Amino acid sequence: MSIWSEAFGAGTDAPILLIMGSMSQGVLWPDELVGRLAAGGRRVIRYDHRDTGRSQTVDFAIHPYTWQDIKDDVYRVMDEHGLDRAHLVGHSAGGLLAQLVAVERPDRVCSLTVIASSPLGGGEGEVLVRALMGQEPAEGSLPEPTPEFVAFYRALMAAPPPADRRTRVDGMIAEQRVLHGTGLPFDEDAARRLQERVYDRARDLSAAVNHRLAAAARPDFEPVGALSAITAPTLVIEGTHEPVKPGHGAIIAERIPGAELMIVTGMGHTLPAEVHEELAAAILAHTGGRSGKSPVRV
């Protein structure tokens, strides 16, 4: 399996490995945010998950895989960059991957930062499926996504496939708008530049759906009750306008010993320009880098 990655900053700096969410390319880690981290004295690595961007794509029917395999790609990227250990920063499903790595290989994790994610073993996938199917949440389950998020994805599942590049990019922008949330202005021009970049650099944009097929074979991917075993210093970040996993960050922070919770005003499920300075400062402070200001933690 060939996994595309790129590194920024000096090779002698302490490494940060950025792990993006399901079906997402590494370039969804914004260049400006990556640049701030590198300028703060960090070697920053981002990569495309298998079946996204420039990484290898497969015929899933012939070569099926699970989220355990996607998790193992984290180790593969670390090994390819010669890293015995790294600071892991995971977004959304990338946060789940980072949590699992911190559980099973604590020797390879310097620190853990989890952004817009759900607690490992919390059943987030079931919560999402129930919401999209219009079913009542199970007793004691995680908080559901917002009604706006549910309505958008129900309509998306019923819509015909996009006919051309423009239609596909327009749909990707509409999805980004929903994920962005309502707390900050949505920059449609910036969104179009990003989604056109995602579209144009993908070997096969449709291959990313294989992550959903892999998710169907993930019953043992998320061990229940394992978060208490994490020993890495942990920072959990969530936006006040998170549409997908609202309130999940507080649950993660409660379950990981000594974890800190940071709430970012206005942020939804994306990483817009308005929050780059605050996120970079918090990550640099957490990983021991130079930061411009102290984050507000709650």
Side-chain angles (χ1 to χ4, degrees), residues 236-240 249-250 261-266 278 296-298:
V236 183
I237 301 175
E238 182 174 315
T240 56
L261 175 64
M262 173 179 168
I263 302 298
V264 179
T265 301
E278 186 172 3
V296 177
R297 296 189 173 98
V298 299

Side-chain angles (χ1 to χ4, degrees), residues 23-162:
M23 303 175 64
S24 298
Q25 298 180 18
V27 295
L28 289 181
W29 291 105
D31 293 344
E32 181 186 350
L33 176 59
V34 172
R36 286 178 177 272
L37 295 175
R42 287 294 178 259
R43 180 187 182 195
V44 186
I45 299 164
R46 63 182 177 184
Y47 71 99
D48 291 339
H49 289 297
R50 59 174 66 196
D51 276 326
T52 74
R54 296 177 181 172
S55 288
Q56 184 176 341
T57 61
V58 303
D59 184 330
F60 194 85
I62 298 175
H63 301 289
Y65 57 84
T66 69
W67 268 80
Q68 288 285 355
D69 298 308
I70 298 175
K71 177 265 300 176
D72 288 343
D73 290 338
V74 175
Y75 302 127
R76 179 176 288 108
V77 174
M78 291 177 66
D79 291 343
E80 289 179 352
H81 286 270
L83 305 178
D84 293 327
R85 306 176 72 225
H87 298 278
L88 302 186
V89 179
H91 181 271
S92 194
L96 285 175
L97 295 171
Q99 290 171 64
L100 183 54
V101 170
V103 167
E104 70 176 23
R105 290 297 306 272
D107 58 304
R108 304 206 68 174
V109 182
C110 300
S111 72
L112 176 64
T113 302
V114 180
I115 305 172
S117 191
S118 295
L120 186 71
E124 183 265 342
E126 181 181 354
V127 171
L128 181 58
V129 169
R130 282 179 173 270
L132 293 176
M133 298 298 291
Q135 300 173 355
E136 290 294 320
E139 184 176 353
S141 65
L142 296 170
E144 293 184 293
T146 63
E148 294 80 7
F149 174 88
V150 172
F152 176 84
Y153 278 92
R154 283 179 181 170
L156 183 65
M157 290 187 297

